[in-house]
Amino acid sequence: MRLFETHAHLSDERFDGEIPSILSRASQAGVAYLTVASADGAESRSSIDIVRQYSSATLPLYCMVGYHPHVASSFGEEDEAFLRDVLSRRKDLRICALGEIGLDYFYDNSPREIQREVFRKQLDIAFAYDVPIVLHERDAAQDSLTILREYYASGRLRGVPGVCHCFSGSVETGRELVRMGFYLGFDGPITFKNNKRAPEVLLSVPKERLLIETDCPYLTPEPHRGQRNEPAYVRNVLEKMAAILSLDPEVLAEVTTENGKRLFGIEESSSESFA
Ligand SMILES: [Zn+2]
């Protein structure tokens, strides 16, 4: 089985000193591609370093760089210059996306107006450098959709615009994102028994737009709940998703892996080649 783990925060301190063993467990579980997630400048730099150090022929690693809405209020010119610099060298640095970017009105760690402004700035950068985005949206579906629709209507979103990571929205929000070309990523919460909405939402998404992710060390799936999450557990997400969709897990693994490769522009199977 070949799995694409599309969202792992490997630079989290909870993984310190353990990356080789974590990656080897991931390989054993079937992970064949992995995208290292980032949420601010420090994490983006560390993701680039992890990819440089640990990407291998058996488990090619890629990373995203970007600024989460939580840190929007400290986003400045230096951060913008950093993004432009690394994105201009993105093939060498194995950067496959700009993210996490978006809006988070649940925590409101930055004022909403500034979150929207920084989201727009990063959408402009993603379009300029022709990279997909990794969208973080929490309790901000309407404002996120309003901004994305505006970019879509004015031709400032790529044909393959990106993924809404850890999608937890409604069927309607999912449809609207799919209409604009987005992929939807699903994580541990779909395995939780009290998640009544997940099956209906999952069934409404076209298979060619589904991605699997862990968001580790967060969102640990069943049956590992209560422990630290790690990339190997993306297999539990895949298996639960396959059960909901009544699909053979092998088939769904192949579909979601191909989806990830298409979204992130990865051309060859398990090789170093990268568009
Ligand atoms: Zn994340």
Side-chain angles (χ1 to χ4, degrees), residues 189-209:
I190 68 161
T191 68
F192 301 168
K193 288 177 189 70
N194 62 359
N195 193 339
K196 303 268 188 286
R197 185 152 81 165
E200 188 198 354
V201 171
L202 259 180
L203 286 160
S204 74
V205 182
K207 311 282 171 288
E208 65 275 12
R209 297 295 182 80

Side-chain angles (χ1 to χ4, degrees), residues 54-65:
Y54 298 105
S55 185
S56 67
T58 40
L59 181 41
L61 307 181
Y62 304 89
C63 66
M64 65 185 82
V65 290

Side-chain angles (χ1 to χ4, degrees), residues 4-22:
F4 196 149
E5 148 71 305
T6 58
H7 200 108
H9 291 272
L10 291 186
S11 43
D12 192 279
E13 60 187 10
R14 276 166 276 186
F15 296 132
D16 275 359
E18 290 183 58
I19 291 181
S21 56
I22 284 163

